């Protein structure tokens, strides 16, 4: 009962704080002209969104961090190295995204940090992750008991951490192209990871994840169609990074592929499109990521988002079973 109370409180505090922060932050961002530049390659419906405030990830990042620290200070949850790593990745990837958004706004285009600059910063965070993880006695073997996988990786585990973090963050970033799409799918995925974490003995990360779920729900008040604000790279990189870090720390890396299945499909659509063009000299999809393919087919934006949310919910439920079973 105590755990259930904590879980409900975590969602409520996240939701209330982000809802209020949205009311305060959106007018400020409009006033200082923190506005999204829309790519020239998207359709006319997206061109109409030019000038919508961005960096909206702050609406769920700040409440999540503050609420987590508040619960730590009051002793409602205990500090663990895992929680420290999750906070490091969350804040670190938010900072990378913030820099990217800031430079894009300053240059008045969609080009912020270079690929190498992003990778350098991501490597720094991965090194910090690996250092704290090893200092706390973390294992360096990739283990999936049910599938009889037990591969000792040694220092290569640090590279594995980097690959998971970069892959997850880029997947969420690519999916963030329609109003409410990435936010809704992330909330669904974090509900799944919170339940998995609580069921396999990681209460600290389970509660953190539920605070984040509540905060994203508050953000969606302003981000669903028609969006009053976009999360920007500030939000998408942070969400993907945390998703990847939770998968590693709970040793559910394969489960991540199921829970975050829609993000994986979005990313694969881009990879397959590039391969298809290089090999066959023509496109397989009308436009990627794949949510834009459906737009080109004439689907309404809200219908695409609802379809992807439903599919994401199904995969999340499958992922819970898969994650606990493993």
């Amino acid at each position: 009962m105590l755990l259930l109370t904590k879980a409900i409180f975590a969602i409520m505090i996240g939701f209330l704080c982000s809802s209020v922060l949205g009311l305060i932050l959106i007018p400020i961002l409009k006033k200082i002209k923190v506005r999204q530049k829309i790519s020239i390659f998207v359709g006319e419906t997206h061109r109409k969104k030019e000038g919508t405030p961005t960096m909206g990830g702050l609406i769920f990042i700040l409440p999540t961090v503050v609420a987590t620290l508040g619960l730590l200070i009051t002793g409602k949850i205990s500090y663990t190295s895992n929680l420290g790593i999750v906070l490091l990745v969350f804040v670190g990837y938010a900072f990378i995204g913030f820099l990217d958004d800031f430079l894009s706004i300053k240059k008045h285009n969609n080009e912020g940090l270079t690929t190498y600059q992003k990778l350098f910063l991501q490597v720094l965070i991965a090194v910090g992750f690996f250092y704290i993880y090893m200092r706390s006695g973390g294992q360096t073997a990739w283990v999936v008991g049910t599938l009889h996988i037990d591969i000792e990786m040694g220092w290569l585990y640090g590279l594995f951490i980097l690959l998971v973090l970069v892959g997850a963050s880029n997947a969420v970033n690519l999916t963030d192209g329609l109003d409410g799409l990435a936010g809704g799918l992330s909330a669904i995925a974090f509900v799944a990871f919170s339940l998995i974490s609580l069921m396999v003995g990681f209460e600290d990360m389970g509660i953190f994840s539920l605070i984040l779920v509540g905060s994203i729900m508050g953000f969606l008040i302003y981000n669903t169609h028609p969006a009053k604000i976009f999360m920007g790279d500030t939000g998408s990189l942070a969400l993907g990074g945390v998703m990847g870090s939770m998968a590693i720390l709970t040793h559910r890396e394969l489960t991540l592929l199921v829970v975050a299945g829609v993000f994986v499909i979005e990313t694969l659509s881009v990879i397959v499109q590039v391969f298809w063009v290089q090999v066959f000299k023509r496109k397989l999809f009308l436009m990627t990521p794949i949510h834009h393919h459906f737009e080109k087919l004439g689907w309404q934006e809200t219908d695409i988002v609802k379809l992807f949310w439903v599919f994401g919910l199904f995969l999340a439920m499958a992922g819970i079973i898969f994650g606990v079973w493993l």
Side-chain angles (χ1 to χ4, degrees):
M1 183 59 72
L2 178 60
L3 183 58
L4 178 60
T5 303
K6 282 185 181 180
I8 294 172
F9 179 75
I11 295 174
M12 287 180 62
I13 192 172
F15 176 76
L16 291 173
C17 290
S18 63
S19 300
V20 173
L21 182 59
L23 290 174
I24 299 170
L25 188 62
I26 292 175
I28 294 174
L29 293 176
K30 284 182 177 179
K31 187 173 182 179
I32 61 177
K33 299 180 180 180
V34 178
R35 296 172 178 172
Q36 177 74 45
K37 296 294 292 184
I38 304 298
S39 171
I40 60 173
F41 299 106
V42 298
E44 184 61 31
T45 55
H46 286 270
R47 297 296 299 170
K48 295 176 181 177
K49 300 178 182 181
E50 183 89 38
T52 301
T54 187
M55 292 189 184
L58 294 171
I59 293 175
F60 55 79
I61 292 167
L62 294 176
T64 301
V65 173
V66 171
T68 302
L69 293 177
L71 291 178
L72 284 170
I73 292 170
T74 56
K76 300 300 182 183
I77 57 174
S78 301
Y79 176 80
T80 64
S81 59
N82 283 344
L83 185 57
I85 290 172
V86 167
L87 287 171
L88 166 70
V89 172
F90 193 48
V91 174
Y93 269 71
F95 177 70
I96 296 173
F98 181 85
L99 283 179
D100 197 36
D101 286 334
F102 176 78
L103 291 174
S104 295
I105 294 164
K106 188 175 181 180
K107 295 177 183 178
H108 302 288
N109 57 35
N110 283 317
E111 299 177 3
L113 292 170
T114 66
T115 301
Y116 292 111
Q117 288 171 334
K118 279 185 182 179
L119 183 59
F120 174 73
L121 293 172
Q122 289 169 334
V123 167
L124 287 181
I125 294 171
V127 169
F129 186 131
F130 191 50
Y131 176 77
I132 299 172
Y133 182 76
M134 293 304 295
R135 289 276 295 181
S136 60
Q139 67 177 37
T140 55
W142 182 38
V143 179
V144 185
T146 308
L147 301 180
H148 305 293
I149 296 174
D150 189 346
I151 304 172
E152 177 56 47
M153 301 180 69
W155 65 270
L156 286 175
Y157 198 75
L159 180 60
F160 178 65
I161 289 171
L162 175 64
L163 291 175
V164 174
L165 294 182
V166 172
S169 61
N170 286 335
V172 177
N173 186 246
L174 286 171
T175 306
D176 184 30
L178 301 179
D179 295 351
L181 179 59
L185 288 171
S186 295
I188 292 168
F190 282 114
V191 168
F193 265 113
S194 67
L195 292 174
I196 293 170
S197 298
L198 293 173
M199 285 189 280
V200 298
F202 294 94
E203 182 181 323
D204 51 347
M205 286 189 290
I207 297 301
F208 170 86
S209 187
L210 288 173
I211 295 172
L212 181 53
V213 169
S215 297
I216 295 173
M217 288 168 60
F219 167 72
L220 285 172
I221 294 175
Y222 311 103
N223 183 240
T224 48
H225 187 76
K228 299 177 179 65
I229 191 168
F230 301 137
M231 69 168 68
D233 285 4
T234 305
S236 60
L237 293 184
L239 291 175
V242 168
M243 212 175 290
S245 64
M246 291 189 70
I248 294 168
L249 293 171
T250 57
H251 311 295
R252 296 299 187 279
E253 297 90 350
L254 286 180
T255 302
L256 176 64
L257 297 178
V258 182
V259 171
V262 177
F263 295 115
V264 173
I265 292 169
E266 290 268 35
T267 305
L268 287 176
S269 72
V270 175
I271 296 172
V272 170
Q273 181 86 317
V274 172
F275 171 80
W276 210 264
V277 171
Q278 291 292 326
V279 175
F280 300 106
K281 308 303 179 185
R282 60 188 179 87
K283 293 180 179 181
L284 177 62
F285 303 107
L286 296 176
M287 187 175 179
T288 57
I290 200 168
H291 57 257
H292 288 313
H293 174 79
F294 287 99
E295 280 193 295
K296 294 293 185 181
L297 289 175
W299 287 43
Q300 293 297 312
E301 180 175 353
T302 51
D303 291 335
I304 299 169
V305 171
K306 284 185 287 187
L307 174 65
F308 279 40
W309 279 5
V310 170
F311 193 46
L313 180 59
F314 173 80
L315 289 174
M317 290 188 292
I320 292 170
I321 297 171
F322 188 69
V324 175
W325 175 60
L326 283 179

